[in-house]
mmCIF file of all heavy atoms in Angstrom:
data_model
loop_
_atom_site.group_PDB
_atom_site.id
_atom_site.type_symbol
_atom_site.label_atom_id
_atom_site.label_comp_id
_atom_site.label_asym_id
_atom_site.label_seq_id
_atom_site.Cartn_x
_atom_site.Cartn_y
_atom_site.Cartn_z
ATOM 1 N N PHE A 1 -58.575 35.882 15.703
ATOM 2 C CA PHE A 1 -59.712 35.199 14.963
ATOM 3 C C PHE A 1 -60.208 36.037 13.876
ATOM 4 O O PHE A 1 -60.157 37.235 13.834
ATOM 5 C CB PHE A 1 -60.931 35.031 16.005
ATOM 6 C CG PHE A 1 -61.984 34.333 15.445
ATOM 7 C CD1 PHE A 1 -61.957 32.982 15.013
ATOM 8 C CD2 PHE A 1 -63.383 34.894 15.505
ATOM 9 C CE1 PHE A 1 -63.021 32.313 14.615
ATOM 10 C CE2 PHE A 1 -64.469 34.268 15.093
ATOM 11 C CZ PHE A 1 -64.335 32.910 14.670
ATOM 12 N N GLN A 2 -60.467 35.335 12.847
ATOM 13 C CA GLN A 2 -61.012 36.052 11.485
ATOM 14 C C GLN A 2 -62.283 35.287 10.987
ATOM 15 O O GLN A 2 -62.166 34.051 10.858
ATOM 16 C CB GLN A 2 -59.840 36.043 10.437
ATOM 17 C CG GLN A 2 -60.303 36.803 9.196
ATOM 18 C CD GLN A 2 -59.110 36.850 8.284
ATOM 19 O OE1 GLN A 2 -58.922 35.863 7.421
ATOM 20 N NE2 GLN A 2 -58.320 37.944 8.224
ATOM 21 N N ILE A 3 -63.298 36.016 10.743
ATOM 22 C CA ILE A 3 -64.412 35.443 10.208
ATOM 23 C C ILE A 3 -64.373 35.718 8.609
ATOM 24 O O ILE A 3 -64.304 36.959 8.287
ATOM 25 C CB ILE A 3 -65.723 36.087 10.793
ATOM 26 C CG1 ILE A 3 -65.803 35.899 12.313
ATOM 27 C CG2 ILE A 3 -66.944 35.522 10.076
ATOM 28 C CD1 ILE A 3 -66.946 36.625 13.005
ATOM 29 N N GLY A 4 -64.468 34.721 7.926
ATOM 30 C CA GLY A 4 -64.479 34.929 6.501
ATOM 31 C C GLY A 4 -65.842 34.704 5.898
ATOM 32 O O GLY A 4 -66.464 33.731 6.056
ATOM 33 N N LEU A 5 -66.276 35.728 5.175
ATOM 34 C CA LEU A 5 -67.576 35.716 4.396
ATOM 35 C C LEU A 5 -67.301 35.479 2.930
ATOM 36 O O LEU A 5 -67.046 36.428 2.196
ATOM 37 C CB LEU A 5 -68.389 36.972 4.627
ATOM 38 C CG LEU A 5 -68.596 37.360 6.188
ATOM 39 C CD1 LEU A 5 -69.280 38.788 6.265
ATOM 40 C CD2 LEU A 5 -69.427 36.355 6.932
ATOM 41 N N THR A 6 -67.317 34.122 2.582
ATOM 42 C CA THR A 6 -66.750 33.836 1.256
ATOM 43 C C THR A 6 -67.572 34.337 0.095
ATOM 44 O O THR A 6 -67.075 34.534 -1.041
ATOM 45 C CB THR A 6 -66.586 32.303 1.176
ATOM 46 O OG1 THR A 6 -67.765 31.722 1.327
ATOM 47 C CG2 THR A 6 -65.571 31.810 2.178
ATOM 48 N N LYS A 7 -68.828 34.526 0.388
ATOM 49 C CA LYS A 7 -69.791 34.886 -0.765
ATOM 50 C C LYS A 7 -69.524 36.386 -1.064
ATOM 51 O O LYS A 7 -69.916 36.802 -2.230
ATOM 52 C CB LYS A 7 -71.246 34.612 -0.403
ATOM 53 C CG LYS A 7 -71.527 33.124 -0.334
ATOM 54 C CD LYS A 7 -73.005 32.853 0.040
ATOM 55 C CE LYS A 7 -73.303 31.258 0.039
ATOM 56 N NZ LYS A 7 -74.806 31.094 0.295
ATOM 57 N N SER A 8 -69.040 37.075 -0.287
ATOM 58 C CA SER A 8 -68.790 38.526 -0.441
ATOM 59 C C SER A 8 -67.373 38.986 -0.378
ATOM 60 O O SER A 8 -66.893 40.094 -0.572
ATOM 61 C CB SER A 8 -69.465 39.494 0.491
ATOM 62 O OG SER A 8 -69.235 39.105 1.838
ATOM 63 N N SER A 9 -66.508 37.899 -0.142
ATOM 64 C CA SER A 9 -64.955 37.981 -0.023
ATOM 65 C C SER A 9 -64.661 39.077 1.033
ATOM 66 O O SER A 9 -63.667 39.876 0.950
ATOM 67 C CB SER A 9 -64.460 38.517 -1.370
ATOM 68 O OG SER A 9 -64.711 37.449 -2.372
ATOM 69 N N ARG A 10 -65.372 39.136 2.148
ATOM 70 C CA ARG A 10 -65.201 39.992 3.171
ATOM 71 C C ARG A 10 -64.585 39.183 4.464
ATOM 72 O O ARG A 10 -64.951 38.035 4.591
ATOM 73 C CB ARG A 10 -66.361 40.794 3.711
ATOM 74 C CG ARG A 10 -66.910 41.785 2.644
ATOM 75 C CD ARG A 10 -68.227 42.439 3.024
ATOM 76 N NE ARG A 10 -67.972 43.283 4.294
ATOM 77 C CZ ARG A 10 -67.289 44.351 4.455
ATOM 78 N NH1 ARG A 10 -66.753 44.865 3.341
ATOM 79 N NH2 ARG A 10 -67.207 44.930 5.633
ATOM 80 N N THR A 11 -63.802 39.951 5.214
ATOM 81 C CA THR A 11 -63.281 39.420 6.469
ATOM 82 C C THR A 11 -63.384 40.303 7.524
ATOM 83 O O THR A 11 -63.294 41.476 7.447
ATOM 84 C CB THR A 11 -61.773 38.989 6.406
ATOM 85 O OG1 THR A 11 -61.078 40.173 5.925
ATOM 86 C CG2 THR A 11 -61.542 37.951 5.243
ATOM 87 N N LEU A 12 -63.704 39.816 8.828
ATOM 88 C CA LEU A 12 -63.763 40.495 9.979
ATOM 89 C C LEU A 12 -62.985 39.956 11.086
ATOM 90 O O LEU A 12 -62.877 38.621 11.256
ATOM 91 C CB LEU A 12 -65.344 40.431 10.445
ATOM 92 C CG LEU A 12 -66.476 40.766 9.394
ATOM 93 C CD1 LEU A 12 -67.783 40.435 10.003
ATOM 94 C CD2 LEU A 12 -66.396 42.112 8.923
ATOM 95 N N SER A 13 -62.077 40.749 11.717
ATOM 96 C CA SER A 13 -61.136 40.223 12.639
ATOM 97 C C SER A 13 -61.143 40.711 13.982
ATOM 98 O O SER A 13 -61.604 41.920 14.236
ATOM 99 C CB SER A 13 -59.719 40.519 11.912
ATOM 100 O OG SER A 13 -59.595 39.988 10.733
ATOM 101 N N GLY A 14 -60.735 39.973 14.963
ATOM 102 C CA GLY A 14 -60.657 40.359 16.397
ATOM 103 C C GLY A 14 -60.323 39.146 17.200
ATOM 104 O O GLY A 14 -60.137 38.032 16.673
ATOM 105 N N PRO A 15 -60.296 39.449 18.565
ATOM 106 C CA PRO A 15 -59.954 38.349 19.514
ATOM 107 C C PRO A 15 -61.124 37.454 19.726
ATOM 108 O O PRO A 15 -62.297 37.863 19.639
ATOM 109 C CB PRO A 15 -59.550 39.047 20.752
ATOM 110 C CG PRO A 15 -60.213 40.407 20.747
ATOM 111 C CD PRO A 15 -60.241 40.750 19.216
ATOM 112 N N TYR A 16 -60.891 36.203 20.054
ATOM 113 C CA TYR A 16 -61.891 35.170 20.279
ATOM 114 C C TYR A 16 -61.448 34.333 21.510
ATOM 115 O O TYR A 16 -60.330 34.084 21.737
ATOM 116 C CB TYR A 16 -61.811 34.152 19.130
ATOM 117 C CG TYR A 16 -62.562 32.853 19.240
ATOM 118 C CD1 TYR A 16 -63.821 32.687 18.603
ATOM 119 C CD2 TYR A 16 -62.011 31.821 19.965
ATOM 120 C CE1 TYR A 16 -64.518 31.405 18.628
ATOM 121 C CE2 TYR A 16 -62.708 30.492 20.050
ATOM 122 C CZ TYR A 16 -63.915 30.469 19.361
ATOM 123 O OH TYR A 16 -64.603 29.148 19.527
ATOM 124 N N SER A 17 -62.467 34.089 22.387
ATOM 125 C CA SER A 17 -62.209 33.240 23.502
ATOM 126 C C SER A 17 -63.352 32.265 23.760
ATOM 127 O O SER A 17 -64.534 32.670 23.267
ATOM 128 C CB SER A 17 -62.060 34.144 24.805
ATOM 129 O OG SER A 17 -63.213 34.797 25.099
ATOM 130 N N ALA A 18 -63.039 31.132 24.257
ATOM 131 C CA ALA A 18 -64.236 30.122 24.426
ATOM 132 C C ALA A 18 -63.785 29.164 25.583
ATOM 133 O O ALA A 18 -62.686 28.960 25.772
ATOM 134 C CB ALA A 18 -64.412 29.287 23.066
ATOM 135 N N SER A 19 -64.824 28.610 26.026
ATOM 136 C CA SER A 19 -64.670 27.584 27.052
ATOM 137 C C SER A 19 -65.689 26.366 26.644
ATOM 138 O O SER A 19 -66.813 26.774 26.415
ATOM 139 C CB SER A 19 -64.735 28.012 28.523
ATOM 140 O OG SER A 19 -66.037 28.597 28.705
ATOM 141 N N ALA A 20 -65.207 25.142 26.986
ATOM 142 C CA ALA A 20 -66.214 24.029 26.574
ATOM 143 C C ALA A 20 -65.742 22.755 27.392
ATOM 144 O O ALA A 20 -64.532 22.555 27.637
ATOM 145 C CB ALA A 20 -66.136 23.767 25.123
ATOM 146 N N ILE A 21 -66.634 21.862 27.616
ATOM 147 C CA ILE A 21 -66.373 20.690 28.254
ATOM 148 C C ILE A 21 -66.315 19.692 27.030
ATOM 149 O O ILE A 21 -67.307 19.438 26.348
ATOM 150 C CB ILE A 21 -67.474 20.194 29.279
ATOM 151 C CG1 ILE A 21 -67.604 21.126 30.360
ATOM 152 C CG2 ILE A 21 -67.256 18.794 29.770
ATOM 153 C CD1 ILE A 21 -68.846 20.959 31.275
ATOM 154 N N VAL A 22 -65.171 19.063 26.844
ATOM 155 C CA VAL A 22 -64.866 18.225 25.689
ATOM 156 C C VAL A 22 -64.692 16.736 26.086
ATOM 157 O O VAL A 22 -63.869 16.482 27.064
ATOM 158 C CB VAL A 22 -63.587 18.690 24.922
ATOM 159 C CG1 VAL A 22 -63.320 17.759 23.734
ATOM 160 C CG2 VAL A 22 -63.652 20.189 24.635
ATOM 161 N N HIS A 23 -65.404 15.868 25.502
ATOM 162 C CA HIS A 23 -65.337 14.521 25.652
ATOM 163 C C HIS A 23 -64.691 13.930 24.290
ATOM 164 O O HIS A 23 -65.157 14.152 23.250
ATOM 165 C CB HIS A 23 -66.500 13.695 25.837
ATOM 166 C CG HIS A 23 -67.121 14.000 27.206
ATOM 167 N ND1 HIS A 23 -68.258 13.341 27.643
ATOM 168 C CD2 HIS A 23 -66.761 14.667 28.286
ATOM 169 C CE1 HIS A 23 -68.479 13.725 28.888
ATOM 170 N NE2 HIS A 23 -67.644 14.666 29.295
ATOM 171 N N GLU A 24 -63.599 13.297 24.368
ATOM 172 C CA GLU A 24 -62.889 12.814 23.241
ATOM 173 C C GLU A 24 -62.676 11.315 23.349
ATOM 174 O O GLU A 24 -62.090 10.870 24.345
ATOM 175 C CB GLU A 24 -61.469 13.492 23.019
ATOM 176 C CG GLU A 24 -60.722 13.145 21.812
ATOM 177 C CD GLU A 24 -61.011 14.089 20.587
ATOM 178 O OE1 GLU A 24 -61.893 14.997 20.787
ATOM 179 O OE2 GLU A 24 -60.455 13.936 19.557
ATOM 180 N N THR A 25 -63.055 10.542 22.337
ATOM 181 C CA THR A 25 -62.969 9.174 22.333
ATOM 182 C C THR A 25 -61.900 8.731 21.255
ATOM 183 O O THR A 25 -62.190 9.035 20.068
ATOM 184 C CB THR A 25 -64.381 8.416 22.033
ATOM 185 O OG1 THR A 25 -65.231 8.824 23.089
ATOM 186 C CG2 THR A 25 -64.124 6.927 22.156
ATOM 187 N N ILE A 26 -60.881 8.120 21.699
ATOM 188 C CA ILE A 26 -59.854 7.740 20.633
ATOM 189 C C ILE A 26 -59.645 6.238 20.643
ATOM 190 O O ILE A 26 -59.571 5.632 21.712
ATOM 191 C CB ILE A 26 -58.603 8.452 21.102
ATOM 192 C CG1 ILE A 26 -58.689 9.972 20.878
ATOM 193 C CG2 ILE A 26 -57.279 8.021 20.247
ATOM 194 C CD1 ILE A 26 -57.445 10.813 21.223
ATOM 195 N N SER A 27 -59.581 5.793 19.484
ATOM 196 C CA SER A 27 -59.312 4.317 19.230
ATOM 197 C C SER A 27 -58.005 4.136 18.479
ATOM 198 O O SER A 27 -57.707 4.884 17.545
ATOM 199 C CB SER A 27 -60.499 3.695 18.518
ATOM 200 O OG SER A 27 -61.691 3.858 19.157
ATOM 201 N N TYR A 28 -57.286 3.128 18.757
ATOM 202 C CA TYR A 28 -56.078 2.863 18.080
ATOM 203 C C TYR A 28 -55.684 1.420 18.277
ATOM 204 O O TYR A 28 -56.152 0.718 19.216
ATOM 205 C CB TYR A 28 -54.936 3.676 18.465
ATOM 206 C CG TYR A 28 -54.450 3.706 19.978
ATOM 207 C CD1 TYR A 28 -53.636 2.723 20.523
ATOM 208 C CD2 TYR A 28 -55.034 4.647 20.762
ATOM 209 C CE1 TYR A 28 -53.347 2.727 21.820
ATOM 210 C CE2 TYR A 28 -54.731 4.617 22.210
ATOM 211 C CZ TYR A 28 -53.900 3.691 22.673
ATOM 212 O OH TYR A 28 -53.685 3.668 23.985
ATOM 213 N N SER A 29 -54.920 0.800 17.361
ATOM 214 C CA SER A 29 -54.496 -0.528 17.462
ATOM 215 C C SER A 29 -53.043 -0.485 18.055
ATOM 216 O O SER A 29 -52.397 0.597 17.992
ATOM 217 C CB SER A 29 -54.449 -1.274 16.116
ATOM 218 O OG SER A 29 -53.697 -0.660 15.231
ATOM 219 N N TYR A 30 -52.456 -1.681 18.365
ATOM 220 C CA TYR A 30 -51.105 -1.644 18.843
ATOM 221 C C TYR A 30 -50.569 -3.043 18.533
ATOM 222 O O TYR A 30 -51.195 -3.914 18.181
ATOM 223 C CB TYR A 30 -50.991 -1.355 20.341
ATOM 224 C CG TYR A 30 -51.635 -2.521 21.208
ATOM 225 C CD1 TYR A 30 -50.737 -3.639 21.556
ATOM 226 C CD2 TYR A 30 -52.929 -2.549 21.649
ATOM 227 C CE1 TYR A 30 -51.330 -4.682 22.373
ATOM 228 C CE2 TYR A 30 -53.398 -3.468 22.518
ATOM 229 C CZ TYR A 30 -52.583 -4.578 22.721
ATOM 230 O OH TYR A 30 -53.140 -5.557 23.491
ATOM 231 N N LYS A 31 -49.233 -3.107 18.488
ATOM 232 C CA LYS A 31 -48.553 -4.506 18.369
ATOM 233 C C LYS A 31 -47.316 -4.334 19.357
ATOM 234 O O LYS A 31 -46.966 -3.306 19.883
ATOM 235 C CB LYS A 31 -48.089 -4.733 16.999
ATOM 236 C CG LYS A 31 -47.076 -3.717 16.314
ATOM 237 C CD LYS A 31 -46.805 -3.966 14.922
ATOM 238 C CE LYS A 31 -45.939 -2.995 14.212
ATOM 239 N NZ LYS A 31 -45.602 -3.417 12.803
ATOM 240 N N LEU A 32 -46.753 -5.495 19.632
ATOM 241 C CA LEU A 32 -45.677 -5.576 20.528
ATOM 242 C C LEU A 32 -44.350 -5.830 19.756
ATOM 243 O O LEU A 32 -44.394 -6.443 18.641
ATOM 244 C CB LEU A 32 -45.880 -6.675 21.533
ATOM 245 C CG LEU A 32 -47.022 -6.572 22.443
ATOM 246 C CD1 LEU A 32 -47.241 -7.836 23.283
ATOM 247 C CD2 LEU A 32 -46.819 -5.400 23.467
ATOM 248 N N PHE A 33 -43.270 -5.290 20.329
ATOM 249 C CA PHE A 33 -42.008 -5.622 19.773
ATOM 250 C C PHE A 33 -40.924 -5.823 20.954
ATOM 251 O O PHE A 33 -41.255 -5.344 22.058
ATOM 252 C CB PHE A 33 -41.370 -4.603 18.871
ATOM 253 C CG PHE A 33 -41.050 -3.217 19.432
ATOM 254 C CD1 PHE A 33 -39.792 -2.962 19.971
ATOM 255 C CD2 PHE A 33 -42.030 -2.258 19.585
ATOM 256 C CE1 PHE A 33 -39.459 -1.713 20.361
ATOM 257 C CE2 PHE A 33 -41.739 -0.934 20.230
ATOM 258 C CZ PHE A 33 -40.438 -0.778 20.630
ATOM 259 N N THR A 34 -40.079 -6.683 20.741
ATOM 260 C CA THR A 34 -39.173 -7.042 21.868
ATOM 261 C C THR A 34 -37.755 -6.530 21.605
ATOM 262 O O THR A 34 -37.086 -6.725 20.451
ATOM 263 C CB THR A 34 -39.174 -8.570 22.005
ATOM 264 O OG1 THR A 34 -40.482 -9.080 22.123
ATOM 265 C CG2 THR A 34 -38.328 -9.050 23.130
ATOM 266 N N VAL A 35 -37.114 -6.011 22.700
ATOM 267 C CA VAL A 35 -35.682 -5.637 22.593
ATOM 268 C C VAL A 35 -35.074 -6.237 23.899
ATOM 269 O O VAL A 35 -35.535 -5.937 25.013
ATOM 270 C CB VAL A 35 -35.644 -4.078 22.637
ATOM 271 C CG1 VAL A 35 -34.119 -3.749 22.652
ATOM 272 C CG2 VAL A 35 -36.271 -3.452 21.440
ATOM 273 N N ASN A 36 -33.997 -7.050 23.656
ATOM 274 C CA ASN A 36 -33.283 -7.713 24.730
ATOM 275 C C ASN A 36 -34.238 -8.240 25.721
ATOM 276 O O ASN A 36 -33.936 -8.134 26.909
ATOM 277 C CB ASN A 36 -32.391 -6.651 25.321
ATOM 278 C CG ASN A 36 -31.216 -7.240 26.170
ATOM 279 O OD1 ASN A 36 -30.655 -8.276 25.740
ATOM 280 N ND2 ASN A 36 -30.834 -6.595 27.210
ATOM 281 N N GLY A 37 -35.237 -8.968 25.319
ATOM 282 C CA GLY A 37 -36.072 -9.728 26.269
ATOM 283 C C GLY A 37 -37.233 -8.903 26.835
ATOM 284 O O GLY A 37 -38.030 -9.473 27.518
ATOM 285 N N GLU A 38 -37.265 -7.536 26.598
ATOM 286 C CA GLU A 38 -38.368 -6.789 27.132
ATOM 287 C C GLU A 38 -39.341 -6.476 26.069
ATOM 288 O O GLU A 38 -38.928 -6.122 24.794
ATOM 289 C CB GLU A 38 -37.857 -5.396 27.685
ATOM 290 C CG GLU A 38 -37.006 -5.529 28.936
ATOM 291 C CD GLU A 38 -37.837 -5.676 30.154
ATOM 292 O OE1 GLU A 38 -39.153 -5.862 30.061
ATOM 293 O OE2 GLU A 38 -37.340 -5.641 31.290
ATOM 294 N N ASP A 39 -40.717 -6.488 26.306
ATOM 295 C CA ASP A 39 -41.757 -6.184 25.413
ATOM 296 C C ASP A 39 -42.001 -4.705 25.496
ATOM 297 O O ASP A 39 -42.194 -4.136 26.536
ATOM 298 C CB ASP A 39 -42.944 -7.079 25.648
ATOM 299 C CG ASP A 39 -42.747 -8.442 25.234
ATOM 300 O OD1 ASP A 39 -41.969 -8.785 24.344
ATOM 301 O OD2 ASP A 39 -43.506 -9.303 25.870
ATOM 302 N N TYR A 40 -42.197 -4.143 24.291
ATOM 303 C CA TYR A 40 -42.632 -2.740 24.225
ATOM 304 C C TYR A 40 -43.954 -2.548 23.281
ATOM 305 O O TYR A 40 -44.135 -3.413 22.524
ATOM 306 C CB TYR A 40 -41.565 -1.865 23.563
ATOM 307 C CG TYR A 40 -40.276 -1.868 24.500
ATOM 308 C CD1 TYR A 40 -39.422 -2.887 24.497
ATOM 309 C CD2 TYR A 40 -40.057 -0.743 25.275
ATOM 310 C CE1 TYR A 40 -38.203 -2.886 25.222
ATOM 311 C CE2 TYR A 40 -38.913 -0.730 26.032
ATOM 312 C CZ TYR A 40 -37.993 -1.796 26.059
ATOM 313 O OH TYR A 40 -36.926 -1.754 26.884
ATOM 314 N N TYR A 41 -44.631 -1.503 23.552
ATOM 315 C CA TYR A 41 -45.775 -1.169 22.642
ATOM 316 C C TYR A 41 -45.440 -0.331 21.386
ATOM 317 O O TYR A 41 -44.667 0.604 21.594
ATOM 318 C CB TYR A 41 -46.912 -0.512 23.404
ATOM 319 C CG TYR A 41 -47.609 -1.284 24.419
ATOM 320 C CD1 TYR A 41 -47.457 -1.254 25.777
ATOM 321 C CD2 TYR A 41 -48.540 -2.460 24.041
ATOM 322 C CE1 TYR A 41 -48.121 -1.926 26.666
ATOM 323 C CE2 TYR A 41 -49.056 -3.199 24.850
ATOM 324 C CZ TYR A 41 -48.899 -2.956 26.264
ATOM 325 O OH TYR A 41 -49.564 -3.825 27.172
ATOM 326 N N GLU A 42 -46.049 -0.647 20.326
ATOM 327 C CA GLU A 42 -46.032 0.264 19.234
ATOM 328 C C GLU A 42 -47.383 0.576 18.837
ATOM 329 O O GLU A 42 -48.171 -0.303 18.405
ATOM 330 C CB GLU A 42 -45.314 -0.362 17.955
ATOM 331 C CG GLU A 42 -45.182 0.578 16.755
ATOM 332 C CD GLU A 42 -44.357 -0.061 15.613
ATOM 333 O OE1 GLU A 42 -43.757 -0.926 15.801
ATOM 334 O OE2 GLU A 42 -44.647 0.470 14.468
#
């Protein structure tokens, strides 16, 4: 891990660890296509 202090162009470096409970909501569209009579998702 590196902390960049852009106003003074300084960097501080070392190891970083973290733990967190993450909720992720994902949305997407889909369509169907057919191969040899079988439907598949795209």
Side-chain angles (χ1 to χ4, degrees):
F1 184 59
Q2 185 179 81
I3 301 172
L5 306 173
T6 62
K7 292 183 179 180
S8 59
S9 300
R10 292 180 57 76
T11 58
L12 312 172
S13 302
Y16 169 105
S17 61
S19 60
I21 301 172
V22 184
H23 288 184
E24 187 91 358
T25 302
I26 294 181
S27 303
Y28 56 88
S29 61
Y30 68 88
K31 60 183 179 180
L32 297 171
F33 66 96
T34 303
V35 177
N36 199 35
E38 289 281 11
D39 289 334
Y40 297 81
Y41 288 110
E42 182 176 342

